[in-house]
Amino acid sequence: MESSLRESRAHFGSTRGALAALALAFLILLLPSSATADWNTTQVVSGAGTSTSQTRIAGGTDGSAWVVWKRNVGGFDVIQGTKVALDGTQGPIITLSGPTLQATDPVIATRADGSAMVGWLNTAAIDDTVHTVSITADGTVGPITTRSTVGPVGQPAADISIALGHDGTAALAWRKFNGVSWVIQAVKVAADGTSGTIHDLSDPASSASAPDIAATPGAVPPAVSTPPSFRAVWSGGTGVDGNVFSRQINPDDTLTDLFQALFPPESGGVGTGGDPHDVQIAYEPDGAVDIMWVREREGQTTADPPVVYYNDAIEWIRGIAGTVFSAGVPQFINTVTPVLPEEEYNVTTLDLNQPFGNRPVLAWVHALNGGGYRIDTSQIVRNGQLQGWATPAGESLTEFNRPVIAANNSGVGALGWGVPSVVPGQSNSQWARFSTTSFLDPFTPTDTYSQDTGFVIANTGETMAAYTGVDAGLVGSSKVVTFTRPGITVSPGQHVYGKVRIGRKSTRFISIRSSGETTAEVTGITLSGANASQYSLSGANECIGEFGSGNNCQFEVNFT
């Protein structure tokens, strides 16, 4: 990139001009050819071998990620994984589960520094059992650890959820069949990897749905060193008996009382029932907690005669930092989506995500009143209100598969979804990236069909998507594709130095700004062109390095 400078040199009381050029050499960090807009070429990370499935991704704030998947090796279903950097460099493929056991349903969670925990179900035990491995920030994989009770026969575990504390602790929640009902169980994991007590969280006489669990953030007052608590949420019962429940594991591994969100109808109350589902939890950076779910709401207006209404709506409980959810004490329930008489706004599925250092974001499938579907997104803002975001999927007559949303700490988001494939019973993944300066950057894989979309978004805006791509021979591969949009702007485009006395120096300033949406790297700043020797640079070396989007640097160009 070149920017012209005007040289003006004093000689016997007169001036003359000549052109010099300032050359900026900068390296765009990700260089593969563009596949779709600024999404780079798709890369297979699972290597050669048998078909893969159940691809999952999670990563830290620098955008590096662990991608894991399921694969059959020598007759055994194993969980494998690899660490992938934003430039596409990947580490070795590691078999995380026991190589002679049977594993399925991997789950992965990471901290901001990139340390991670991977969990899965070992189906080769007496009955399905929860196993995990921990991974340090430098990529060291720890031992396989059994987290749930092994057996007895006919009492499997299922539906693992993982939350990681800022201090190296962790907690897992899952469902365990007790012979009569599915019970929510959870265990806290110390920083050294040892398990605490396996707790029964839910009523053992009533079956519960898949749980979600989250950790309080490290920045909660009074100090960053405050040990985290872990709160699990789930729904239980069906029909009029349906309800939403929660329980917290305290830092000392004790439990709070069982909290029930929905109470029997009173005058103006919301009532119980409605088959709540998709119950999820996320924390805001200041420690406020958000619990959301989808439920059919019923009621009637006060009109004469009354108008009966019903909607499958997203409901929301928000508690400020330190809120105690006491048994028997109702919390105020908001509705995220409209509930209006004679106007349908039905929600089928919900995804709630907790970015590092930012407020939660959510996406849901909206069943349109006139037929068809749309995906809506929103973000929680500072005052505890919701702000609509983007609808990158458009409208479709066919229902979208469950949406997946992610974001970073500066408001860059990514949303994935699935649409029916030409292969019966399968779907095609699609997704889009969006930000405050780029409304939509869509991507559609070219595989025969695709699924299992997930995202990691660096604080600097680079985005990595992972998915399972299946070819015409029905062989699956775990793949990643990255989004980069670097740019450098030099300002001003030229300087006029005017008359300069002989023997004096005249100084002008040049600014370099990272004008793209992702990180750019300046590798060198040099002078070139006619009479370049009559100029010098000062402070230019301080402008060599990586620049996040919007960052800038200034240096001097001296006419000598």
Side-chain angles (χ1 to χ4, degrees):
M1 174 177 283
E2 293 189 348
S3 175
S4 296
L5 296 173
R6 173 73 62 182
E7 176 201 359
S8 185
R9 178 168 60 86
H11 180 65
F12 299 117
S14 64
T15 64
R16 66 177 183 177
L19 291 177
L22 172 66
L24 280 181
F26 64 94
L27 172 67
I28 297 176
L29 293 180
L30 294 176
L31 297 175
S33 60
S34 179
T36 304
D38 296 285
W39 290 97
N40 302 297
T41 303
T42 302
Q43 174 182 344
V44 176
V45 295
S46 54
T50 54
S51 183
T52 68
S53 62
Q54 301 179 0
T55 301
R56 307 288 185 263
I57 185 173
T61 55
D62 67 349
S64 62
W66 274 91
V67 182
V68 299
W69 57 85
K70 173 182 170 180
R71 162 180 269 151
N72 189 277
V73 179
F76 297 97
D77 287 338
V78 297
I79 306 303
Q80 295 182 327
T82 185
K83 189 172 185 180
V84 186
L86 277 172
D87 64 359
T89 304
Q90 71 174 95
I93 295 173
I94 302 171
T95 297
L96 301 171
S97 63
T100 58
L101 300 176
Q102 301 288 352
T104 190
D105 299 340
V107 179
I108 182 169
T110 54
R111 298 180 182 86
D113 67 358
S115 58
M117 177 178 282
V118 182
W120 62 89
L121 293 174
N122 170 28
T123 63
I126 295 174
D127 218 319
D128 298 356
T129 305
V130 177
H131 281 187
T132 70
V133 293
S134 292
I135 306 174
T136 62
D138 66 4
T140 303
V141 178
I144 298 171
T145 306
T146 301
R147 300 298 182 185
S148 65
T149 302
V150 179
V153 175
Q155 297 189 18
D159 301 316
I160 305 167
S161 180
I162 300 175
L164 302 184
H166 62 85
D167 61 350
T169 61
L172 295 95
W174 61 86
R175 295 199 300 165
K176 174 84 169 175
F177 191 64
N178 65 7
V180 177
S181 304
W182 286 94
V183 178
I184 302 301
Q185 293 187 332
V187 65
K188 182 182 176 185
V189 179
D192 65 2
T194 57
S195 292
T197 302
I198 297 176
H199 300 286
D200 285 343
L201 302 186
S202 64
D203 180 356
S206 177
S207 279
S209 67
D212 191 23
I213 192 167
T216 54
V220 175
V224 173
S225 60
T226 301
S229 299
F230 300 89
R231 180 170 289 278
V233 294
W234 65 93
S235 62
T238 58
V240 296
D241 296 323
N243 218 306
V244 174
F245 301 95
S246 178
R247 211 162 189 179
Q248 179 172 288
I249 304 176
N250 298 316
D252 63 358
D253 206 18
T254 59
L255 296 179
T256 61
D257 292 336
L258 180 65
F259 169 73
Q260 173 183 313
L262 305 174
F263 283 80
E266 298 176 358
S267 178
V270 296
T272 58
D275 288 319
H277 58 90
D278 284 13
V279 185
Q280 292 164 69
I281 182 172
Y283 281 92
E284 300 175 34
D286 62 2
V289 61
D290 301 290
I291 303 173
M292 294 186 180
W293 62 90
V294 180
R295 184 175 75 98
E296 182 181 294
R297 291 175 60 101
E298 295 185 38
Q300 62 184 29
T301 67
T302 57
D304 187 17
V307 177
V308 176
Y309 64 87
Y310 64 91
N311 287 99
D312 289 308
I314 299 175
E315 295 183 326
W316 174 27
I317 288 177
R318 181 177 187 268
I320 62 173
T323 296
V324 177
F325 292 94
S326 301
V329 179
Q331 294 282 326
F332 181 76
I333 297 176
N334 298 279
T335 53
V336 173
T337 53
V339 181
L340 301 172
E342 299 181 315
E343 292 186 29
E344 292 189 25
Y345 186 117
N346 289 316
V347 175
T348 60
T349 54
L350 165 70
D351 184 49
L352 177 67
N353 183 275
Q354 179 179 328
F356 295 119
N358 205 346
R359 286 166 176 77
V361 295
L362 58 149
W364 62 92
V365 176
H366 169 193
L368 302 174
N369 191 23
Y373 300 87
R374 187 178 72 207
I375 298 179
D376 291 333
T377 67
S378 189
Q379 52 189 335
I380 298 173
V381 294
R382 288 183 179 274
N383 59 359
Q385 300 297 311
L386 283 171
Q387 182 180 74
W389 209 354
T391 54
E395 297 180 2
S396 172
L397 293 177
T398 304
E399 183 171 3
F400 296 100
N401 289 354
R402 178 178 296 277
V404 176
I405 192 168
N408 71 355
N409 66 355
S410 59
V412 176
L415 174 71
W417 62 91
V419 295
S421 168
V422 294
V423 179
Q426 302 298 338
S427 64
N428 283 333
S429 294
Q430 297 177 347
W431 59 82
R433 179 190 181 276
F434 43 92
S435 70
T436 55
T437 57
S438 174
F439 182 61
L440 288 180
D441 294 294
F443 186 90
T444 299
T446 58
D447 306 86
T448 302
Y449 70 89
S450 49
Q451 55 197 15
D452 304 328
T453 304
F455 306 100
V456 169
I457 306 178
N459 281 352
T460 50
E462 290 89 349
T463 302
M464 184 185 299
Y467 70 101
T468 303
V470 181
D471 64 20
L474 302 185
V475 175
S477 299
S478 297
K479 301 181 177 183
V480 299
V481 58
T482 53
F483 178 95
T484 56
R485 183 178 285 159
I488 288 289
T489 299
V490 179
S491 179
Q494 66 176 12
H495 274 308
V496 177
Y497 283 73
K499 294 182 178 181
V500 182
R501 291 182 180 275
I502 294 174
R504 297 291 181 89
K505 179 175 71 171
S506 182
T507 298
R508 298 292 187 269
F509 292 91
I510 293 289
S511 292
I512 299 174
R513 186 174 72 88
S514 178
S515 55
E517 287 208 25
T518 61
T519 299
E521 182 178 3
V522 176
T523 58
I525 301 172
T526 60
L527 288 167
S528 64
N531 303 309
S533 63
Q534 296 179 22
Y535 294 89
S536 68
L537 299 177
S538 178
N541 288 340
E542 297 177 8
C543 294
I544 296 175
E546 293 185 359
F547 287 77
S549 178
N551 291 350
N552 58 70
C553 185
Q554 190 178 69
F555 60 91
E556 297 178 1
V557 182
N558 303 306
F559 172 57
T560 58

